[in-house]
Amino acid sequence: MAHPSQLGFQDAASPVMEELLHFHDHALMIVFLISTLVLYIIVAMVSAKVTNKYILDSQEIEIIWTILPAIILTLIALPSLRILYLMDEINDPHLTVKAMGHQWYWSYEYTDYENLGFDSYMVPTQDLTPGQFRLLETDHRMIIPMDSPIRVMISAEDVLHSWAVPSLGIKMDAVPGRLNQTAFIASRPGVFYGQCSEICGANHSFMPIMVEAVPLEHFENWSSLMLKDI
């Protein structure tokens, strides 16, 4: 999860997020090289005293500064389009979870099971135990098996919300009357935090998301216990 004064992204916990981090580094290096070149040209033009009033045009330079930006844009666009298509891929999910946004909490329904669902509210500050994070802890976590394709169906009951978990590379709007879907694979066990990322009213800041990835055996034990409690 994020920590104070952090400058970069959170550690990737899914293959898509790893691709996004690689693309970010790729694009940032191109921006760095362009900025260095522009800075060098500015410094050279300010400090150099070489002038030639007979040079009115240069077709070679014009060709270079027309073709070079096109090549650079292509080097950025192709990896970007690849990741966009990867983020839309949903291939044979092992589990489907329906996430419904409310003012101001989330409810989860495991549609592959009968009557397995719960509401997830933020833990108030006064009820936090040592080691828990303010504004990020919930009373019920969304439990998923790791290394398994998970499909999340996202909607809202009242106003616009957004289901976002940065470590998993997910951000999907929850729109009333519309069912959006996204998919991810948690590549390692752990607890991943997110928050509603669409301003949805007075308590917008108080509807966090907790996704816990566990081994498949632990998930099966958890789901069995939840069904027994119901």
Side-chain angles (χ1 to χ4, degrees):
M1 64 172 294
H3 56 79
S5 72
Q6 178 175 332
L7 296 179
F9 291 98
Q10 298 181 25
D11 292 338
S14 71
V16 168
M17 189 58 191
E18 290 178 4
E19 293 287 342
L20 288 171
L21 290 179
H22 293 157
F23 175 71
H24 169 265
D25 296 340
H26 167 73
L28 202 62
M29 183 56 65
I30 293 176
V31 170
F32 174 75
L33 293 175
I34 293 173
S35 302
T36 303
L37 176 63
V38 171
L39 181 63
Y40 168 77
I41 293 173
I42 292 174
V43 172
M45 295 200 54
V46 169
S47 59
K49 300 190 183 301
V50 179
T51 57
N52 190 332
K53 64 182 180 179
Y54 297 107
I55 296 180
L56 300 179
D57 67 326
S58 175
Q59 292 185 356
E60 293 80 7
I61 290 249
E62 292 178 0
I63 291 173
I64 291 173
W65 74 37
T66 301
I67 293 178
L68 191 59
I71 294 174
I72 292 173
L73 288 175
T74 303
L75 291 175
I76 295 175
L78 291 180
S80 174
L81 289 172
R82 173 177 170 271
I83 295 176
L84 282 174
Y85 280 103
L86 281 175
M87 293 175 72
D88 279 341
E89 286 290 330
I90 301 177
N91 294 322
D92 191 22
H94 295 177
L95 179 71
T96 299
V97 182
K98 182 180 177 182
M100 183 72 71
H102 308 266
Q103 289 184 310
W104 287 272
Y105 65 95
W106 293 96
S107 61
Y108 299 101
E109 179 183 345
Y110 291 72
T111 58
D112 298 294
Y113 296 83
E114 188 174 356
N115 297 326
L116 178 52
F118 50 83
D119 296 331
S120 180
Y121 291 87
M122 186 192 76
V123 177
T125 302
Q126 62 271 19
D127 296 336
L128 292 174
T129 59
Q132 291 186 325
F133 300 104
R134 177 177 173 270
L135 300 182
L136 290 176
E137 294 289 337
T138 60
D139 56 354
H140 292 93
R141 300 175 178 180
M142 175 179 153
I143 310 294
I144 58 164
M146 58 175 287
D147 291 329
S148 298
I150 309 297
R151 176 173 57 184
V152 185
M153 314 289 287
I154 301 167
S155 186
E157 189 181 53
D158 34 47
V159 298
L160 289 176
H161 300 279
S162 184
W163 201 82
V165 183
S167 294
L168 299 173
I170 292 177
K171 183 181 183 296
M172 181 63 69
D173 286 346
V175 183
R178 180 184 177 91
L179 197 61
N180 292 328
Q181 68 175 355
T182 185
F184 66 91
I185 299 175
S187 54
R188 58 185 170 87
V191 179
F192 311 111
Y193 295 88
Q195 291 176 299
C196 177
S197 297
E198 189 77 46
I199 295 176
C200 56
N203 292 331
H204 158 68
S205 302
F206 307 112
M207 48 183 303
I209 300 160
M210 285 185 73
V211 178
E212 182 175 359
V214 298
L216 180 59
E217 181 181 353
H218 294 180
F219 173 78
E220 291 175 342
N221 294 336
W222 170 83
S223 59
S224 299
L225 290 174
M226 289 290 290
L227 290 171
K228 286 180 182 178
D229 292 341
I230 293 173

